[in-house]
Amino acid sequence: MRLKAVLVTLFLVFLVIGLANIGYAKPNKPDKPPKQPRSKCDYDGICEPGEKEDCPDCQGGEEPGPTALQLDHTGLQIVSGSEVTDTKVYHIKYMNGVYNNTWNSIVNDHVTFATSIGDVDNDGNKEITTVMNCRKTTGPPSQRVSYQKIFVYEDGSTGEANYTSHNLGWSQNGVRDSIIADADNDGYNEIVLVEYKHIEIYEWNGSGFENLWNSPEYDHSIWSVDVGDADNDGDNEVVLGMMTIGSAIVYEYLGSNTWGNPVTTESIGSYNIDYAKVRDADNDGDNEIVGGGTSNKLNVWEYTNGSYGNVFLSEDLGGFTQGIDAGDVDGDGKNEVIAGAAGDVNKIYVFKYNESVGTYEMIDSVSCSGGVGRLSTGDLDNDNKDEIAASVSGITVFEYSPNLKSTYNFGYGGYLEVS
């Protein structure tokens, strides 16, 4: 009886609660509106992660569509490769008042940072080249090899290479840098490859690339290569940016497909020289070597009496000075020296040689959205002033008008050349 009374009591309690709530039930909560995709756009001219392609900062977009490559054989343009996920080759040029990514290659199996532009086959027209690591992974272990090949893209390419070289052999870390230039002063171009601790020079022989010469193997790795008249004797030299020793290495052409008499520039200390380029930095009609790297400084070497002495070393610019070049960015008919920093400070600096005091002075700088990994100068928009194309958040173009500022960004690529 007691259990029955308890059950009856509980029933009455629940009945009262239920009756009390009749007509007072909470209405169903309305469905949340669908979440709109967020399109971050800070309108700073830089395409940054999270910004959509319709944001003006990302005006370049990623894909130009399956268009045919059309190089500018008389003017300048930007070509770029990458060492991250977008392993394509890109072509950017200024047309009808705007910069456009006009073409890109197919997705490649390996990084494409050793990308160059120039008349590599000496037919009078420019080509784009990139040197990639390749691997044969099938077959028995003894046949699974790694090697490099040169890929050539010509007008009309819709993404595939028009020519692929033979197996160039293998080097640790692959090909770090390349340049198309007249390295032997015969009026025809060669392609020079940085193969970790040595360089290799190839020439187009009408049907393929022929190896002309390989440098000795160095104790330290080589980061970059340039070709130009470094000692102002009327002939080009090959200049290597050398790691660890704080110097560049300069090779002369000796004839008979041989380069030698290497000269080491004056060391600036135990630093990596990431880039060393032959440029007329002080506008005296003779070339200097401008360089930078882990010293965080801009340095300038000048050839005098058989040696390359260091004639300028800037203050610490706040980051690795991996981007170095010279060009007339302010339109006064004289070159300025450009240095990009990547580190605690991400900036591009403009230096000008002051003839009255005989040294280089910083005249402007601009902060960047990321570190500067490489840069090149050239008059890309035909305004009689050089622009600066830099590997900043992809590729960013800077102009000096009347101060240094960014005018275009393409969020892909980065390892670039202007030619």
Side-chain angles (χ1 to χ4, degrees):
M1 287 294 295
R2 182 176 298 176
L3 177 60
K4 185 175 180 180
V6 170
L7 292 174
V8 170
T9 302
L10 288 173
F11 172 77
L12 292 174
V13 169
F14 285 124
L15 179 62
V16 169
I17 293 173
L19 291 173
N21 283 303
I22 292 177
Y24 298 99
K26 292 181 181 180
N28 289 331
K29 205 170 183 181
D31 293 335
K32 288 184 179 180
K35 190 173 183 180
Q36 298 297 319
R38 299 178 65 184
S39 179
K40 168 191 168 187
C41 190
D42 55 14
Y43 301 95
D44 64 352
I46 305 298
C47 187
E48 297 162 307
E51 292 184 332
K52 304 297 182 182
E53 288 185 13
D54 58 358
C55 172
D57 294 347
C58 298
Q59 59 182 322
E62 178 181 2
E63 301 289 350
T67 57
L69 176 62
Q70 186 175 352
L71 292 164
D72 189 334
H73 299 289
T74 58
L76 300 180
Q77 61 246 288
I78 303 167
V79 296
S80 177
S82 177
E83 68 171 341
V84 286
T85 56
D86 55 317
T87 53
K88 301 177 184 179
V89 178
Y90 297 96
H91 176 243
I92 297 171
K93 63 182 177 181
Y94 188 85
M95 301 186 304
N96 303 318
V98 295
Y99 292 95
N100 282 289
N101 171 43
T102 67
W103 173 91
N104 56 251
S105 74
I106 61 171
V107 176
N108 293 293
D109 292 335
H110 303 285
V111 297
T112 56
F113 52 68
T115 295
S116 295
I117 179 172
D119 186 4
V120 73
D121 60 4
N122 298 292
D123 66 348
N125 292 325
K126 297 176 183 177
E127 292 82 30
I128 299 174
T129 61
T130 193
V131 189
M132 286 186 286
N133 295 333
C134 304
R135 289 182 175 86
K136 183 180 185 300
T137 57
T138 59
S142 62
Q143 296 180 10
R144 298 176 189 178
V145 295
S146 299
Y147 49 92
Q148 281 92 42
K149 286 186 176 183
I150 303 171
F151 295 77
V152 181
Y153 305 90
E154 299 178 340
D155 280 346
S157 166
T158 55
E160 298 276 358
N162 298 87
Y163 171 83
T164 302
S165 78
H166 64 283
N167 177 347
L168 303 182
W170 171 251
S171 65
Q172 187 176 354
N173 294 341
V175 176
R176 181 73 229 177
D177 193 21
S178 62
I179 188 171
I180 300 167
D182 183 4
D184 60 4
N185 304 292
D186 65 350
Y188 297 97
N189 287 329
E190 290 74 39
I191 183 168
V192 187
L193 312 180
V194 172
E195 294 256 20
Y196 188 41
K197 293 184 178 181
H198 74 278
I199 65 167
E200 298 181 0
I201 301 180
Y202 292 83
E203 184 177 56
W204 183 260
N205 63 13
S207 59
F209 289 103
E210 178 182 351
N211 179 239
L212 300 182
W213 182 78
N214 296 344
S215 77
E217 194 85 2
Y218 279 93
D219 292 333
H220 308 292
S221 59
I222 304 164
W223 195 258
S224 67
V225 62
D226 194 31
V227 174
D229 187 4
D231 60 5
N232 301 294
D233 65 350
D235 289 331
N236 286 337
E237 285 76 39
V238 177
V239 179
L240 314 180
M242 182 67 68
M243 307 289 273
T244 307
I245 64 173
S247 298
I249 309 293
V250 183
Y251 273 93
E252 291 186 8
Y253 181 64
L254 303 180
S256 302
N257 294 334
T258 302
W259 285 258
N261 296 338
V263 178
T264 302
T265 64
E266 180 183 354
S267 176
I268 62 169
S270 298
Y271 300 110
N272 300 335
I273 299 300
D274 292 338
Y275 289 95
K277 295 184 178 181
V278 181
R279 302 289 187 269
D280 184 2
D282 60 6
N283 301 291
D284 65 351
D286 288 336
N287 287 325
E288 289 75 36
I289 299 177
V290 295
T294 59
S295 67
N296 292 12
K297 300 175 182 179
L298 164 67
N299 65 279
V300 182
W301 290 288
E302 187 171 347
Y303 183 81
T304 306
N305 299 324
S307 63
Y308 294 87
N310 185 253
V311 296
F312 178 74
L313 198 62
S314 75
E315 64 185 60
D316 191 313
L317 300 180
F320 293 169
T321 44
Q322 298 177 119
I324 297 288
D325 208 343
D328 181 14
V329 299
D330 63 2
D332 69 348
K334 296 182 178 181
N335 283 339
E336 289 73 44
V337 184
I338 317 301
D344 293 334
V345 174
N346 297 318
K347 275 188 174 184
I348 290 179
Y349 300 85
V350 179
F351 288 81
K352 196 175 197 66
Y353 186 75
N354 187 327
E355 296 179 9
S356 62
V357 296
T359 192
Y360 297 85
E361 298 176 343
M362 191 195 337
I363 62 170
D364 201 4
S365 66
V366 63
S367 295
C368 301
S369 61
V372 181
R374 184 181 290 194
L375 62 80
S376 293
T377 63
D379 186 1
L380 294 165
D381 60 5
N382 301 305
D383 65 350
N384 297 315
K385 293 191 300 183
D386 286 345
E387 283 71 46
I388 303 166
S391 57
V392 176
S393 300
I395 299 169
T396 303
V397 176
F398 296 84
E399 293 187 3
Y400 193 94
S401 178
N403 303 105
L404 204 56
K405 62 182 179 182
S406 63
T407 56
Y408 170 79
N409 175 261
F410 176 65
Y412 302 87
Y415 282 78
L416 58 88
E417 276 193 13
V418 170
S419 179

